[in-house]
Amino acid sequence: MDYPENPNSNLGFSNLTGNSDLWSLDFELSEYLMLEDHHHHHGVDQDSTSQSMASSEQVMGGSSGSTGATLRNNNIRCKDGVKKNKMEAGHRVAFRTKSELEVMDDGFKWRKYGKKSVKNSPNPRNYYKCSSGGCNVKKRVERDRDDSSYVITTYEGTHNHESPCMVYYNQMPYMIPNGWTSQASSHSSTP
DNA sequence: CGCCTTTGACCAGCGC
DNA sequence: GCGCTGGTCAAAGGCG
């Protein structure tokens, strides 16, 4: 496993191509959100994070406007925002995708640790955490309360390890749908 | 046998 | 201070 050093591999969900069936079903990126004080300018920076969402913009731009991305433009808002500074551990990104499956394989392995129902929403919210030891990345998945066909996924934190199964295609990280199962227990770094 | 989901309890922050 | 809401824990069970 000798992958080139790629700084933006922390995101994990960088590029979604039509390979993964799960995402390509109705994958349609209506909206992305970046919280934290990580204010980015409009398409100026070539930062790793912006690169990932740049590819996201391609998806949302390329898809037909049937969904009306701006329709729900103010639907999702950073309500929690930066109320607390304790979680400076990483960035926070929220995606709103159209999919029947709420659990999308982004190349990482997650362990569910909680489920709560949100007020004013008929659908519960699921809390996941990265299974890798020492990795504190958390993920929050809920369905849009207006359109239950949409799924809002919020990533929080930065992975301190590579994606269990990621192949680098040209310059872009490229994800394989579900192949990580075979090498889940490669090494245990925690004594 | 190990890892994962489930589910209620617990806790902390905020508003009133 | 109390209640609400959201986030996490942890025990117990399930599945490969």
Side-chain angles (χ1 to χ4, degrees), chain A residues 99-141:
Chain A
S99 172
E100 291 188 26
L101 302 173
E102 52 186 75
V103 35
M104 305 175 249
D105 193 346
D106 47 9
F108 291 94
K109 205 172 180 187
W110 303 91
R111 185 183 75 248
K112 181 188 283 188
Y113 68 90
K115 171 167 65 175
K116 281 296 271 206
S117 45
V118 252
K119 195 176 185 303
N120 285 103
S121 180
N123 303 311
R125 174 182 297 169
N126 298 312
Y127 299 91
Y128 296 89
K129 188 182 165 198
C130 187
S131 305
S132 297
C135 190
N136 300 343
V137 179
K138 283 177 282 191
K139 175 166 115 177
R140 173 189 309 139
V141 176

Side-chain angles (χ1 to χ4, degrees), chain A residues 157-187:
Chain A
T158 303
H159 290 281
N160 72 47
H161 58 94
E162 291 293 337
S163 174
C165 188
M166 188 180 287
V167 172
Y168 290 94
Y169 177 75
N170 283 343
Q171 295 174 338
M172 306 268 265
Y174 183 93
M175 277 177 299
I176 289 180
N178 40 8
W180 44 262
T181 354
S182 54
Q183 68 167 21
S185 60
S186 295
H187 67 50

Side-chain angles (χ1 to χ4, degrees), chain A residues 7-8 11 13-15 29 32 34 38-58 91 93 95 172:
Chain A
N8 60 1
L11 262 301
F13 51 92
S14 305
N15 188 11
L29 204 58
Y32 65 89
M34 298 205 64
H38 195 274
H39 55 281
H40 62 286
H41 246 272
H42 202 282
V44 176
D45 44 1
Q46 293 177 345
D47 191 10
S48 58
T49 52
S50 64
Q51 182 181 3
S52 65
M53 72 183 189
S55 59
S56 301
E57 284 178 348
Q58 289 180 356
H91 37 271
V93 187
F95 285 98
M172 306 268 265

